[in-house]
């Protein structure tokens, strides 16, 4: 979709503790956010912006698709995707 529905994404993330933890850990990383601590998922997604939220969701989807495949395959896929970007 051209526009992300932050409310729907927020509801999905709130149901999964591990996804919530990953997002908050990523957004509070000093290399990403040096100014203030973000504690809510909605604030994190607003801070990131739509494009970064899309990338984060794509990364999670790709990681879940890898399943029993070697981690090197996932790494190669991400490197190739970054070059194509």
């Amino acid at each position: 979709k051209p526009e992300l529905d932050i409310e729907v994404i927020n509801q999905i993330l709130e149901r999964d503790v591990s996804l919530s933890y990953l997002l908050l850990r990523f957004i509070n990383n000093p290399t990403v956010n040096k100014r203030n601590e973000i504690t809510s998922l909605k604030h994190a997604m607003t801070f990131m912006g739509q494009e970064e939220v899309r990338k984060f969701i794509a990364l999670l989807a790709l990681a879940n698709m890898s399943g029993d495949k070697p981690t090197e395959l996932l790494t190669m896929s991400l490197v190739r995707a970054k070059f194509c970007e």
Side-chain angles (χ1 to χ4, degrees):
K1 292 182 174 182
E3 290 290 321
L4 287 179
D5 189 354
I6 297 295
E7 288 298 322
V8 172
I9 296 171
N10 189 35
Q11 290 172 359
I12 293 169
L13 288 176
E14 283 179 344
R15 283 186 255 149
D16 192 335
V17 177
S18 63
L19 291 178
S20 301
Y21 174 75
L22 284 174
L23 177 62
L24 290 175
R25 190 170 143 212
F26 168 75
I27 202 68
N28 285 312
N29 186 335
T31 59
V32 176
N33 177 15
K34 294 180 183 177
R35 293 195 175 171
N36 52 359
E37 184 179 9
I38 296 175
T39 55
S40 80
L41 296 174
K42 195 170 190 178
H43 185 209
M45 288 185 285
T46 305
F47 180 82
M48 289 171 69
Q50 285 193 8
E51 194 59 36
E52 291 302 316
V53 171
R54 287 180 198 274
K55 289 178 185 178
F56 183 76
I57 292 170
L59 179 64
L60 290 174
L62 185 60
N64 286 335
M65 286 186 342
S66 67
D68 58 345
K69 308 280 191 288
T71 57
E72 185 59 32
L73 186 60
L74 175 63
T75 304
M76 265 189 353
S77 300
L78 290 173
V79 169
R80 287 179 181 171
K82 188 65 179 174
F83 279 119
C84 289
E85 189 179 82

